[in-house]
Amino acid sequence: MYCSNCGAELDDRAVICPRCGVATENLNKMQTPSRTTPPKSNPLSIAGFTLSLVSVLFAFVNVYLFMVVSITAIVLSIAGLVKSRNLNSGKGLGLAGVIISAVVIIFYILLVILALIFAFSLFFLFFIPFI
C-alpha cells in the first residue's frame, strides 16, 4: 500500500503515513461505524401481553369489559406469536399474553361457578324449608 499524499510505501495495517502524517484508508475504515439493524419489535405481542395484564385488573371491576379485553388480549397474543416467526422477536411476550389471559378467564369461570353453587345452596337452605 502506498500513501496517497507523498507516495511512500506503507504497511498494509498503517493508519497514518509515517513520512507526511496523512491519514490512510485504514483510518477511515476504523472510524466508520458498522451499520447494524436495530432489533425489530413485535407490537402485536406487546399489545397482547399488556392487555392480558389489564384484563387481570378488569376481572374484579367490570365483567363485560373484562371479557372483551381478555379475548382481545388472546387474539393479539396469538397474532404476535404467528408474527414472531418472521421477526424473531416477541415470542415470549405473545406466549405470556396467551397464558395469562387463559388463566384469568379460567379462574373467572371457576369463580362464577363457585358463586352460583353458593347462591343455590343458600336458596335451598333458606327458602325450600318454608315451601
Side-chain angles (χ1 to χ4, degrees), residues 10-100:
L10 303 173
D11 183 19
D12 289 337
R13 297 171 291 170
V15 179
I16 296 174
C17 175
R19 188 174 191 195
C20 65
V22 173
T24 64
E25 294 173 9
N26 291 338
L27 180 64
N28 294 334
K29 289 178 186 177
M30 289 176 54
Q31 290 178 348
T32 305
S34 61
R35 305 229 180 227
T36 58
T37 58
K40 296 179 183 177
S41 64
N42 191 342
L44 292 173
S45 292
I46 295 170
F49 177 72
T50 305
L51 282 178
S52 69
L53 293 178
V54 170
S55 72
V56 173
L57 299 175
F58 284 141
F60 303 106
V61 176
N62 189 337
V63 177
Y64 303 112
L65 197 56
F66 161 71
M67 289 309 259
V68 169
V69 171
S70 294
I71 291 171
T72 306
I74 287 178
V75 169
L76 286 175
S77 296
I78 290 173
L81 278 174
V82 171
K83 192 174 180 181
S84 71
R85 292 179 185 162
N86 297 336
L87 294 178
N88 293 330
S89 72
K91 185 178 181 182
L93 285 176
L95 189 60
V98 170
I99 291 171
I100 291 171

Side-chain angles (χ1 to χ4, degrees), residues 105-125:
I105 288 174
I106 290 170
F107 175 75
Y108 195 78
I109 289 171
L110 290 175
L111 193 65
V112 168
I113 290 172
L114 286 174
L116 288 173
I117 290 172
F118 182 71
F120 281 121
S121 66
L122 285 178
F123 175 76
F124 287 118
L125 182 67

